[in-house]
Amino acid sequence: MLFGSIRYLNLLPFQLFLKRHIRHNGAKMAFRYKRAVPSQINASLRRREVNAAFISSVHAPEFACTDLGIIARGPVYSVFALPGESGDDPASETSNRLARVLGVEGRILIGDAALQYHLQGGEGIDLAAEWHRRTGLPFVFARLCYNRHGRHLEALARRFARTRTRIPQYILKKEAAKRGITPRQLLWYLEHIHYGMDWRAKRGLKQFLRAKPATQPMLSVSVPGSFVSSL
């Protein structure tokens, strides 16, 4: 199986789970990985260069998908519109579209760089928080979708949903150091990431996919500084 892999911190629990699954089931040779940013992984799944991946939610209707996603039930702290700037983030089609749906002005910054920006006291609009404020619903940034090996992927997704993944201290320290944050900040961030697609997440995704971009900006960036920079 060819699996599209994104290096962002929000997928660390799933990546650790997958490694353990492969080791315990003797399936190491059956998995190969292609690592890239979300927009590239979207294209790779469409071209069948990979068989499964967490892809941008705007493209999820094109594929068969499991009930796993990358979901925020409030602030996500890694997807921002930045003040005094403009421009999409080429790595994320979903975040760019979300900003347009919300009518938010500012340069879009996502992923580990956005988390680090926030923890260092950077200001911006957290797009997941703004979505939740307006709709009362979670926001689904990505879904685990596939074009082959559906039965195996569905079973894998169900098993992950039932599993509490523990991060060993040596991995915790290594991953935190790579991103210039502390282990405590890493764990704090992961507390805000959810994976199970319950009915509220599915309703939020459906509402997002039906929404039209705002014709006029409704919200410009002007927010207080980070309240977690000392974590």
Side-chain angles (χ1 to χ4, degrees):
M1 182 186 300
L2 296 171
F3 203 98
S5 179
I6 300 168
R7 292 183 180 272
Y8 292 158
L9 184 56
N10 54 29
L11 275 179
L12 178 60
F14 180 78
Q15 290 163 345
L16 291 176
F17 164 81
L18 192 57
K19 287 181 180 178
R20 289 167 184 161
H21 169 79
I22 292 169
R23 184 171 65 248
H24 292 160
N25 290 278
K28 192 168 186 176
M29 295 304 294
F31 280 80
R32 289 182 292 157
Y33 300 92
K34 177 175 181 174
R35 293 180 170 86
V37 299
S39 58
Q40 294 170 330
I41 292 297
N42 297 339
S44 293
L45 189 66
R46 188 179 300 113
R47 292 194 295 261
R48 305 183 77 84
E49 295 169 353
V50 298
N51 303 132
F54 281 88
I55 65 164
S56 300
S57 60
V58 291
H59 293 294
E62 302 171 24
F63 302 99
C65 297
T66 70
D67 277 340
L68 289 186
I70 299 174
I71 303 159
R73 297 176 182 168
V76 71
Y77 302 107
S78 58
V79 178
F80 290 100
L82 304 187
E85 304 178 54
S86 62
D88 289 347
D89 188 316
S92 176
E93 297 171 76
T94 293
S95 299
N96 297 333
R97 178 179 170 83
L98 176 58
R100 290 192 287 271
V101 166
L102 294 172
V104 171
E105 292 183 309
R107 180 170 67 87
I108 307 306
L109 181 66
I110 73 161
D112 297 346
L115 174 62
Q116 188 178 55
Y117 170 87
H118 175 67
L119 292 172
Q120 291 174 348
E123 297 183 358
I125 291 176
D126 186 310
L127 295 182
E130 184 60 23
W131 170 265
H132 187 267
R133 184 184 72 82
R134 297 190 196 184
T135 67
L137 295 169
F139 189 80
V140 181
F141 284 97
R143 290 192 72 177
L144 177 58
C145 301
Y146 55 88
N147 54 39
R148 288 187 64 192
H149 308 292
R151 191 165 78 173
H152 183 70
L153 262 297
E154 293 286 356
L156 194 70
R158 289 192 295 271
R159 182 175 176 185
F160 176 70
R162 298 191 301 266
T163 302
R164 183 179 177 86
T165 302
R166 298 181 63 86
I167 304 175
Q169 278 295 316
Y170 79 95
I171 293 179
L172 185 64
K173 292 177 181 179
K174 176 183 175 182
E175 294 298 326
K178 281 166 53 177
R179 294 164 172 85
I181 63 177
T182 69
R184 185 183 175 196
Q185 288 170 332
L186 186 156
L187 291 174
W188 168 84
Y189 170 67
L190 289 178
E191 289 175 359
H192 298 88
I193 305 298
H194 306 274
Y195 302 99
M197 290 283 296
D198 61 12
W199 70 268
R200 291 180 60 80
K202 291 178 181 179
R203 182 176 175 185
L205 178 57
K206 187 175 182 179
Q207 185 166 323
F208 169 65
L209 293 174
R210 288 182 172 180
K212 302 296 184 183
T215 56
Q216 295 292 332
M218 295 182 288
L219 188 64
S220 60
V221 177
S222 178
V223 298
S226 168
F227 65 91
V228 295
S229 57
S230 62
L231 283 174

